Amino acid sequence: MAKNLVIVESPAKVKTIKKFLGKNYEVAASNGHVRDLPKSSLGIDVEHDFEPKYITIRGKGDALANLRKEVKKADKVYLATDPDREGEAISWHLAQALKLDEKNTRRITFNEITKSAVKDSFKHPRDIDMNLVDAQQTRRMLDRMVGYKISPLLWAKVKRGLSAGRVQSVALRIICDREEEINAFIPEEYWTLDAVLQADGEKKTMTASFYGDQNGKIAIHNKEELDKILGRIEDQPFEVLEVRKGERVKKPPLPFSTSTLQQDASRYLNFSTQKTMRLAQQLYEGVDIKGSGSVGLITYLRTDSTRVSEEAKSAAADYIAEHYGGSYVSKSTAAGSSSTHIQDAHEAIRPTDIRRSPVMVKESLTRDQFRLYQMIWNRFAASRMTPAYYETTTVRVGAGEYRFHLAASSLKFDGFLSVYAMDEKKSDSVVLSKSLEEGVALRKKKLEPKQHFTQPPAHYTEASLVKTLEELGIGRPSTYAPTITTLLGRRYVVKENKNLYVSELGEVVNKIMTDEFPTIVDEQFTANMESLLDDVEAGSVEWKAVVRNFYPDLDASVKAAEQKLEKIEIADEVSEETCDICGRNMVIKYGPHGRFLACPGFPECRSTKPLLEKIGVPCPKCGKELVLKKTRKGRKYYGCENHPDCDFMSWQKPSAIPCPECGGYMVEKGNRLVCADKECGYVQSRSQEK
């Protein structure tokens, strides 16, 4: 009998796949990539039409030697790496490194590691898709060019340990832009007005919200406007003008793509994008399930498609009908928003077998594996169920010329909410009086005005950043997690309570990138590059054409920046602080956490100190100097030099000018000074600063 060798990427898959195949199949793992561009140089021959120079990755020699032994024993080799661009590239590199005979080498892919999917893949073997390989090769080369050309300049200007990346630098700019938006935001006052009402013969009260007048909606901007409205309705009777009943439909969610899985895992499970992908990889490759052995529980985890196979739809319909009833089975297919960025090569992320419910596998999974699998299973089941239906009641109440609204809804049919209610708001159920009908008079128990202030845009979280990157077409499913991990690992960004904040180091790098390489950090340019990579994958654009067009502009920008840098004398900034050991004036250095003071006598004297930069503003609490500080994670704030005796702190930079209205301190927000007391709300232009 012929001997067949199947090569996969991960050793975890070996065990799962081996049990599906007969004795004539040997399964071996490459442990990921085996060849790459060299770390010591650019690895791209610019002079000879951008030919890449691949070498064996250090440490992969033994793995390749073992694979060569297996290849010699085999009559046929099947390359079964992941079903995406990167997997295709790994298969091509394996074929090159192992010098595989094209006649006896075939490429197979499967979207899920199940017996039927794996066996079916052997019925449809194919050649390596060079369009996919070229798309991945192009991405790798573009990233290498940006990293290896720009990073040395960052080292030269900021001293040490910095790097640039094609997608990473754009993501950093997006976070920095949001930070600037938040810092420049000035809260605006507005008011809401509720009327607590009671119908005749009823003990319970109802709360109606102010809407406007007979001409439409009115916003209450300040206390003066509120008082005017209160004065006009003080003696007015409240009367029901209209009662409208209706039905609201809540559609089921689409099954998960990589992006939505990362977002929901962050939002509901508090998982980082990196952790989500690691756990999903384990569920995809195979987990030991009691009584079943190693089983792949979910389909392929890197996808931006929400498509589901007909077999999976049919299995879901049967399961839902059996466990929930026929009325819960979806009669139509939920459609996702169309996007030019979506590649429909794969299915959505779903359980490989819907009959394998979370409860059935709970004992075999770790707590985090179970929580993620449960969320994937619930979401897929919900996507194949009917919508939820609510009965709604809207009541319009008149008080003289003004209008108030009452609204209530009750769940009529839970549909998909029976399995997936994570987005359902836990609001207090509003019960309206049954006697409410047109013309009914209502007693006013009290009026409840409330002052509010508009809120700045929210800081990015990992989930919202992934959503933004996807909406802008920047990166692809496989790049979201590594991009965020790099930003955090380089300490350009710090994470506190899920929020992402730019560190001092991140600000420095972003400024250099936006000043010297505006095209690289341009969102539209990066999104267009992603579209070009899609065109390479589709075979409509030659991969070298993309590289040929990209490199000259990058090279010109780097050379211009180099000339500019040559004119700058990059010397250590000398501070007034003296070294406690040798008495020399300390200099300002850049480290992984930002700027710090170091003795210029290094390495003989290794004394260092934190850099407390005075901002020339007295502390509003104790009158001593305010200094720029950083949290342990690197986020900037302003505090008193007299800490811990004085606990003053501010995220925004305080001004030395007191508020002329209340006498409190003001803070800088863009080109304006704003009173730190929201109740005061005083604002002036910074051009009035004295």
Side-chain angles (χ1 to χ4, degrees), residues 38-213:
K39 286 188 175 182
S40 57
S41 63
L42 182 65
I44 301 165
D45 194 340
V46 178
E47 303 298 324
H48 296 87
D49 202 21
F50 303 97
E51 276 299 314
K53 301 173 183 176
Y54 292 112
I55 62 167
T56 300
I57 296 171
R58 183 177 291 179
K60 287 300 178 78
D62 290 344
L64 282 173
N66 291 332
L67 287 173
R68 286 190 186 100
K69 289 177 186 175
E70 295 297 335
V71 168
K72 284 179 182 177
K73 300 177 195 172
D75 298 314
K76 203 155 199 173
V77 177
Y78 292 94
L79 298 169
T81 50
D82 285 347
D84 59 8
R85 290 176 187 166
E86 195 163 0
E88 203 74 18
I90 291 173
S91 280
W92 178 72
H93 282 298
L94 281 167
Q96 299 294 311
L98 298 173
K99 296 183 172 61
L100 298 179
D101 182 356
E102 286 185 23
K103 294 178 184 177
N104 300 320
T105 303
R106 305 296 282 157
R107 171 84 167 113
I108 57 171
T109 59
F110 31 83
N111 196 52
E112 57 190 70
I113 303 177
T114 58
K115 187 173 184 177
S116 58
V118 171
K119 287 210 158 189
D120 187 62
S121 70
F122 285 91
K123 296 175 185 175
H124 306 94
R126 58 173 174 80
D127 293 330
I128 291 172
D129 187 336
M130 287 309 297
N131 289 336
L132 284 172
V133 174
D134 289 342
Q136 178 61 27
Q137 186 168 235
T138 309
R139 174 187 288 283
R140 184 77 186 95
M141 290 171 70
L142 296 178
D143 291 345
R144 172 57 69 98
M145 287 171 174
V146 171
Y148 274 52
K149 283 287 185 180
I150 298 178
S151 295
L153 290 173
L154 296 179
W155 275 68
K157 191 161 186 176
V158 192
K159 293 295 186 173
R160 53 180 273 195
L162 305 183
S163 71
R166 192 177 58 85
V167 175
Q168 160 201 322
S169 297
V170 183
L172 177 60
R173 180 182 180 176
I174 289 169
I175 298 169
C176 287
D177 288 350
R178 174 61 61 86
E179 198 84 14
E180 286 179 14
E181 203 180 338
I182 292 168
N183 289 336
F185 180 83
I186 296 173
E188 292 182 7
E189 179 186 12
Y190 71 97
W191 290 74
T192 56
L193 176 62
D194 291 339
V196 180
L197 308 171
Q198 192 175 44
D200 283 336
E202 297 280 346
K203 290 183 179 180
K204 288 187 176 180
T205 59
M206 300 166 288
T207 302
S209 300
F210 177 80
Y211 176 77
D213 60 17

Side-chain angles (χ1 to χ4, degrees), residues 374-568:
Q374 183 181 48
M375 195 168 74
I376 293 169
W377 190 96
N378 288 349
R379 175 84 166 222
F380 173 66
S383 74
R384 304 308 312 153
M385 296 175 83
T386 49
Y389 292 89
Y390 293 83
E391 193 176 71
T392 62
T393 306
T394 306
V395 181
R396 195 157 55 95
V397 176
E401 65 188 283
Y402 294 110
R403 301 290 178 264
F404 287 76
H405 277 190
L406 279 160
S409 65
S410 59
L411 188 62
K412 194 175 174 184
F413 177 70
D414 58 356
F416 77 91
L417 292 175
S418 57
V419 295
Y420 195 83
M422 299 181 91
D423 291 324
E424 194 68 359
K425 293 178 182 175
K426 295 180 180 177
S427 56
D428 297 328
S429 56
V430 179
V431 180
L432 299 180
S433 169
K434 291 181 181 178
S435 63
L436 288 181
E437 55 185 47
E438 191 176 325
V440 169
L442 299 170
R443 284 197 305 278
K444 177 185 69 179
K445 301 293 288 181
K446 62 178 175 178
L447 294 172
E448 295 180 336
K450 287 181 185 174
Q451 184 187 36
H452 306 270
F453 292 92
T454 54
Q455 297 299 308
H459 285 280
Y460 277 113
T461 61
E462 290 194 30
S464 60
L465 181 60
V466 165
K467 185 178 181 184
T468 300
L469 291 173
E470 183 184 40
E471 287 172 349
L472 293 172
I474 295 167
R476 284 296 179 264
S478 60
T479 64
Y480 302 137
T483 296
I484 294 171
T485 302
T486 301
L487 290 174
L488 291 168
R490 298 278 183 198
R491 298 188 181 274
Y492 297 166
V493 170
V494 296
K495 187 162 78 167
E496 291 181 15
N497 300 323
K498 283 193 177 184
N499 290 333
L500 300 176
Y501 300 95
V502 182
S503 68
E504 185 181 16
L505 209 54
E507 288 178 352
V508 171
V509 172
N510 183 60
K511 186 169 190 320
I512 294 172
M513 291 299 295
T514 50
D515 288 350
E516 309 296 343
F517 306 99
T519 305
I520 296 296
V521 293
D522 180 74
E523 295 167 6
Q524 190 60 50
F525 175 79
T526 308
N528 288 340
M529 290 304 301
E530 294 292 351
S531 295
L532 281 172
L533 293 175
D534 292 346
D535 292 339
V536 172
E537 178 177 333
S540 56
V541 171
E542 188 204 352
W543 74 271
K544 279 195 176 180
V546 177
V547 180
R548 288 184 200 119
N549 288 330
F550 179 81
Y551 184 80
D553 291 339
L554 172 67
D555 191 46
S557 297
V558 170
K559 284 175 179 173
E562 280 174 343
Q563 288 179 355
K564 194 173 178 181
L565 285 174
E566 283 172 2
K567 297 171 187 174
I568 301 170

Side-chain angles (χ1 to χ4, degrees), residues 285-335:
E285 290 179 348
V287 180
D288 280 322
I289 303 297
K290 289 179 182 176
S292 303
S294 187
V295 176
L297 293 178
I298 65 169
T299 53
Y300 192 55
L301 61 149
R302 294 180 183 88
T303 176
D304 45 17
S305 172
T306 53
R307 183 177 61 81
V308 175
S309 70
E310 291 304 319
E311 293 84 355
K313 287 179 188 175
S314 177
D318 292 343
Y319 182 90
I320 292 164
E322 181 184 343
H323 290 82
Y324 296 90
S327 59
Y328 283 83
V329 179
S330 174
K331 306 296 187 293
S332 62
T333 303

